[in-house]
Amino acid sequence: MIASEVRALFAVAARPEVVSLAGGMPNVSALPLETVSAVTADLVLREGAVALQYGSAQGVASLRESICDVMALEGIAARPDDVVVTSGSQQALDLVARIFLDPGDTVVTEAPTYVTAINTFAAYQARIAHVPMDGEGVIPEALSAVLARLRAEGRAPKLFYTVPTFQNPAGVTLSAARRPRVLDVCRRAGVLVLEDNPYGLLRYDGEPVRALRADAARGHDVVYLGSFSKTFAPGLRVGWALAPAAVRDKLVLAAESAILSQSPFTQLAVDRYLRTQPWQDQIKAFREMYRERRDAMLDALAAYMPLGVTWTAPAGGFFVWATLPEGLDAKAMLPRAVAARVAYVPGTGFFADGGGRAHMRLSFCYPPPERIREGVRRLGDVIAEETRLRDVCGAAAGAGRSAGP
Amino acid sequence: MIASEVRALFAVAARPEVVSLAGGMPNVSALPLETVSAVTADLVLREGAVALQYGSAQGVASLRESICDVMALEGIAARPDDVVVTSGSQQALDLVARIFLDPGDTVVTEAPTYVTAINTFAAYQARIAHVPMDGEGVIPEALSAVLARLRAEGRAPKLFYTVPTFQNPAGVTLSAARRPRVLDVCRRAGVLVLEDNPYGLLRYDGEPVRALRADAARGHDVVYLGSFSKTFAPGLRVGWALAPAAVRDKLVLAAESAILSQSPFTQLAVDRYLRTQPWQDQIKAFREMYRERRDAMLDALAAYMPLGVTWTAPAGGFFVWATLPEGLDAKAMLPRAVAARVAYVPGTGFFADGGGRAHMRLSFCYPPPERIREGVRRLGDVIAEETRLRDVCGAAAGAGRSAGP
């Protein structure tokens, strides 16, 4: 089980002596806790009768307005009426799957892709077809070919799930030039684009790109998923879907059936934070902190990785995607890495087709820079030792390489 | 659509001039808001890094301990390990349905039953078979007969969904004498009991009854659903399932797939409230407030209802179930009631088989006593007028009577 493997790994990686480059937890201790404390206290005093009561399945209206302001930063013009607030964007993903997918349906995703999305689609008994990426994100021609192949096989997919910006796990961003082509390929094939964009506002260098949803020829070509987990706090579980009216109506009914409503308390806490605090300055502070960590990781990779290891250089988000020298297996190597007090997520979890053994996801969001350097140094030693073993004993049994950036 | 009818009704009933006996909202303004404000403020200051971070899919460990203390009040001996915290007990209901039900499966429920449970089971394409109740709750012989009939039809059900204490909508409680018989009937038939108990601690008179789960011969005969929505605040969306280990494991995986985890923030807020505040005194205060409202409703019903109307006399919970004189139709009458500035929920929503036209659910939880009296007075006038019309014009087309308490 992919999910249970990840959990077991996180349990070991949580030991204090291990440098975990595994988790994708934002560094919430950078938040101004006194301010957040005052915001929630004030909320209960002034709006307690609403915040503590049942709420509507679509979500608090004033928060849906604020969410439209947030999305405007990435070029999206949206109406609060088309927003559904969910229990993190994970719930939006689950509800979209619940609405669209029948057992045996196919969902198209990038390769590699977000591990929990794989699990969610699998929970609805959907099959996954991967499309390769390169340094500019998913390859439109490859996407077109996969869609055509699936259609020819009688498996025309309903959804293309994509994390176009600072992708999890690959750390690459779909280039501005490719975005209209990806939209066009999907529109022609009648495939809905499911754009998952939790990291878009966490850019550390380069030019901002507009969300796919911002330039969709028609609003009903894209369902957009957003989240406050990386720009504010995941513990509040506030995310959202922006969807065309027909999908939105189904999402509201599905949300009601699943949880009645997302917590009015946490929704109003986020709304009050957005309306009373300098949240864009906070995001700027997050950016500076994560940029420093990203730089620490890239510098350390350059300093400590043996020849033959390659990696992506993300312009934002939380993740670097590393590729091992020929014949090494990131999953088989993990116990030795943990013994050397460093943890990562092996690439296999991010593929639905058994690929990814040559890859690993390295997170730079949570440990401070000096710990990142130390972790990468330890990892470099482990890989060097594995390479030596490979040269002496031959390639690890079962190790293979898969396509990917 | 049952859910959309209920929503439309609530929109009209929300007008200030209408006395709504429709909603099931607890009266959260009776909470000590200064205290709750201080609890949440303190939580962020002292445990912000945990409360605002991602959490585990099973839920916060200390809250699961507190939940066991709450369940002990109704005779349940449970281990925190067997508790899964959910986004309200609605999510627990949804996840149980997700785990157990395949399209075409049959779920057995009381008649009438909780409207949202009907919708949730329907969302998983399950069929519902009803079992009649009387003043002592569900009738064990009738339950046995329904299970035998379904088995003979090749439709052996997996679940018996029950709200045994202060039932929604009927307001009746399964008697202590019947409880072991209901458990026994289900155990012999291999049917899991899904015990939904949001109101158990809100008893206004009579002797407490132990939860079904408390006396299940084997722990794996019952999945128990609990909630803080009525004893603390629904806006925090904290409920739980207590389940045998095999079911618990599946619930944790399903919860992770659905929402990653329930909010650590709201979980810790509830836990801190339970550990630092006199929460049992608060429940006692709720009981006194709701008892007064229940009494106001029962007194007003006795004073204002025309001959031929009957109703249940709940010993706890939020609801009275009223039955109209022969030939009257609660659903058809509703627009006239709203015109007379009183709202209720027609009985049809609580039956999956089209029954319930002669019934209505009257809630006494939200309006203050004098409003309840005024609402019941208005309703009495409307029913008297309907009865007069019936006598002049004949019974309303399509009005029928269904079994029920």
Side-chain angles (χ1 to χ4, degrees):
Chain A
M1 268 267 356
I2 287 164
S4 61
E5 281 174 12
V6 171
R7 261 195 304 280
L9 166 66
F10 281 10
V12 175
R15 289 190 208 139
E17 70 273 19
V18 175
V19 176
S20 178
L21 307 174
M25 297 191 299
N27 182 23
V28 294
S29 58
L31 284 168
L33 291 183
E34 291 80 6
T35 303
V36 177
S37 172
V39 165
T40 61
D42 199 53
L43 168 62
V44 175
L45 284 181
R46 289 169 193 266
E47 293 186 83
V50 175
L52 298 173
Q53 189 54 273
Y54 286 109
S56 89
Q58 187 171 0
V60 169
S62 62
L63 176 62
R64 289 187 280 112
E65 286 173 17
S66 299
I67 285 171
C68 289
D69 294 342
V70 172
M71 290 191 289
L73 296 179
E74 295 185 76
I76 296 173
R79 302 180 317 139
D81 230 26
D82 294 331
V83 173
V84 183
V85 184
T86 54
S87 185
S89 62
Q90 176 60 31
Q91 192 193 20
L93 183 63
D94 180 69
L95 296 179
V96 168
R98 186 193 285 226
I99 288 171
F100 281 97
L101 299 181
D102 296 310
D105 278 354
T106 298
V107 176
V108 176
T109 79
E110 291 140 353
T113 190
Y114 176 44
V115 55
T116 307
I118 293 177
N119 292 341
T120 299
F121 298 137
Y124 291 92
Q125 300 173 53
R127 299 156 73 184
I128 287 176
H130 283 313
V131 182
M133 290 186 286
D134 60 20
E136 284 190 73
V138 75
I139 302 164
E141 294 70 25
L143 175 62
S144 182
V146 168
L147 296 182
R149 175 174 60 77
L150 290 170
R151 179 171 294 273
E153 290 172 2
R155 291 172 56 199
K158 291 172 177 163
L159 300 174
F160 169 50
Y161 171 78
T162 175
V163 186
T165 306
F166 317 133
Q167 206 243 11
N168 179 3
V172 299
T173 295
L174 183 62
S175 66
R178 282 189 183 172
R179 292 186 177 228
R181 292 163 60 199
V182 166
L183 285 170
D184 192 54
V185 165
C186 289
R187 192 175 52 76
R188 284 168 192 269
V191 172
L192 189 75
V193 175
L194 181 53
E195 177 179 24
D196 191 358
N197 187 29
Y199 309 104
L201 295 177
L202 295 175
R203 172 175 286 279
Y204 315 132
D205 43 41
E207 287 302 304
V209 287
R210 290 161 63 85
L212 282 170
R213 172 62 176 74
D215 296 308
R218 305 176 305 198
H220 55 269
D221 291 339
V222 178
V223 171
Y224 176 94
L225 310 184
S227 172
F228 290 106
S229 291
K230 278 76 185 185
T231 51
F232 184 29
L236 300 174
R237 310 305 303 126
V238 180
W240 70 89
L242 170 66
V247 176
R248 174 208 62 203
D249 288 347
K250 286 182 186 165
L251 285 174
V252 171
L253 287 173
E256 188 167 36
S257 183
I259 61 167
L260 292 186
S261 86
Q262 164 56 343
S263 162
F265 183 91
T266 62
Q267 289 182 70
L268 286 166
V270 172
D271 191 45
R272 194 167 271 258
Y273 171 79
L274 294 174
R275 287 175 186 271
T276 65
Q277 303 302 318
W279 60 276
Q280 298 208 40
D281 291 349
Q282 180 58 47
I283 291 178
K284 201 178 290 179
F286 275 135
R287 273 194 214 116
E288 280 157 22
M289 179 189 64
Y290 291 131
R291 180 190 294 118
E292 189 189 356
R293 292 171 183 211
R294 190 250 348 230
D295 291 346
M297 178 167 278
L298 293 179
D299 290 351
L301 285 165
Y304 299 124
M305 280 297 138
L307 268 179
V309 181
T310 60
W311 55 88
T312 57
F318 285 180
F319 308 112
V320 166
W321 182 247
T323 304
L324 292 173
E326 189 71 37
L328 264 60
D329 180 331
K331 194 170 172 187
M333 190 176 77
L334 183 59
R336 292 186 282 277
V338 172
R341 292 168 299 134
V342 59
Y344 55 84
V345 183
T348 41
F350 305 99
F351 289 82
D353 61 4
R357 299 182 79 92
H359 303 279
M360 53 177 64
R361 189 189 75 175
L362 304 176
S363 308
F364 53 81
C365 46
Y366 199 70
E370 63 280 10
R371 292 278 287 169
I372 290 174
R373 277 185 213 100
E374 174 61 19
V376 172
R377 195 189 58 74
R378 293 174 187 172
L379 185 59
D381 289 349
V382 172
I383 295 173
E385 174 66 19
E386 287 283 296
T387 311
R388 206 160 43 237
L389 276 173
R390 177 202 64 183
D391 294 343
V392 175
C393 313
R401 298 180 64 81
S402 57
Chain B
M1 271 270 351
I2 288 163
S4 61
E5 280 173 13
V6 171
R7 263 195 304 279
L9 167 66
F10 281 10
V12 175
R15 290 189 207 140
E17 70 272 20
V18 174
V19 175
S20 177
L21 307 173
M25 297 191 298
N27 181 24
V28 294
S29 57
L31 284 168
L33 291 185
E34 290 80 5
T35 302
V36 177
S37 172
V39 165
T40 61
D42 200 51
L43 167 62
V44 176
L45 284 181
R46 289 170 193 267
E47 294 186 83
V50 175
L52 298 173
Q53 189 52 274
Y54 286 109
S56 89
Q58 187 171 0
V60 169
S62 62
L63 175 63
R64 288 187 281 114
E65 286 172 17
S66 299
I67 284 171
C68 289
D69 294 341
V70 172
M71 290 191 290
L73 297 179
E74 296 186 75
I76 297 172
R79 303 179 316 139
D81 231 26
D82 294 333
V83 174
V84 183
V85 184
T86 53
S87 185
S89 61
Q90 176 61 31
Q91 192 194 18
L93 183 64
D94 180 68
L95 295 179
V96 169
R98 187 194 284 227
I99 288 172
F100 281 97
L101 300 180
D102 297 309
D105 278 354
T106 299
V107 177
V108 176
T109 80
E110 292 141 351
T113 191
Y114 175 45
V115 56
T116 307
I118 293 177
N119 292 341
T120 298
F121 298 137
Y124 290 93
Q125 300 174 53
R127 300 156 73 183
I128 286 176
H130 283 313
V131 181
M133 290 186 285
D134 60 20
E136 284 188 72
V138 76
I139 302 163
E141 295 72 24
L143 175 61
S144 181
V146 168
L147 296 182
R149 174 174 60 77
L150 290 170
R151 179 170 293 271
E153 291 171 3
R155 292 172 56 199
K158 291 172 178 164
L159 300 174
F160 170 50
Y161 171 78
T162 174
V163 186
T165 306
F166 317 133
Q167 206 242 12
N168 178 4
V172 299
T173 295
L174 184 63
S175 67
R178 281 189 183 172
R179 291 188 177 227
R181 292 163 62 197
V182 166
L183 285 170
D184 192 55
V185 164
C186 289
R187 192 176 53 77
R188 284 168 191 269
V191 173
L192 189 75
V193 175
L194 181 53
E195 177 179 25
D196 191 358
N197 187 30
Y199 309 104
L201 296 177
L202 295 176
R203 171 175 286 281
Y204 315 131
D205 44 42
E207 287 303 303
V209 287
R210 289 162 63 86
L212 283 171
R213 171 63 175 73
D215 296 309
R218 306 175 305 197
H220 55 268
D221 292 340
V222 177
V223 172
Y224 176 93
L225 309 184
S227 172
F228 290 106
S229 291
K230 277 78 183 184
T231 51
F232 185 29
L236 300 174
R237 309 305 303 126
V238 180
W240 70 90
L242 170 67
V247 176
R248 174 209 60 203
D249 289 346
K250 286 182 185 165
L251 285 174
V252 171
L253 287 173
E256 188 167 36
S257 182
I259 60 167
L260 291 186
S261 86
Q262 164 56 343
S263 161
F265 183 91
T266 62
Q267 289 183 69
L268 286 166
V270 172
D271 191 45
R272 193 167 271 259
Y273 171 79
L274 295 173
R275 287 174 187 270
T276 66
Q277 302 302 317
W279 60 276
Q280 297 208 42
D281 292 348
Q282 179 58 47
I283 291 178
K284 200 177 290 180
F286 275 136
R287 274 194 213 115
E288 280 157 22
M289 179 189 65
Y290 291 131
R291 179 190 295 116
E292 190 190 357
R293 291 171 184 212
R294 192 255 340 237
D295 291 346
M297 178 168 277
L298 292 179
D299 290 351
L301 285 165
Y304 300 124
M305 280 296 137
L307 268 179
V309 181
T310 60
W311 55 89
T312 57
F318 285 0
F319 307 112
V320 165
W321 181 247
T323 303
L324 293 173
E326 190 71 39
L328 264 60
D329 179 330
K331 194 170 172 186
M333 191 176 78
L334 183 59
R336 292 185 283 277
V338 171
R341 293 167 298 134
V342 59
Y344 55 83
V345 183
T348 41
F350 305 99
F351 289 82
D353 61 4
R357 301 184 78 91
H359 302 279
M360 52 177 63
R361 190 189 75 175
L362 304 176
S363 308
F364 53 81
C365 46
Y366 199 70
E370 63 279 10
R371 292 278 287 171
I372 290 175
R373 277 184 213 100
E374 173 61 20
V376 172
R377 194 189 60 72
R378 293 174 186 170
L379 185 58
D381 288 349
V382 171
I383 296 174
E385 174 67 19
E386 287 283 296
T387 311
R388 205 158 47 238
L389 276 173
R390 177 202 63 183
D391 294 343
V392 175
C393 313
R401 296 179 66 80
S402 57

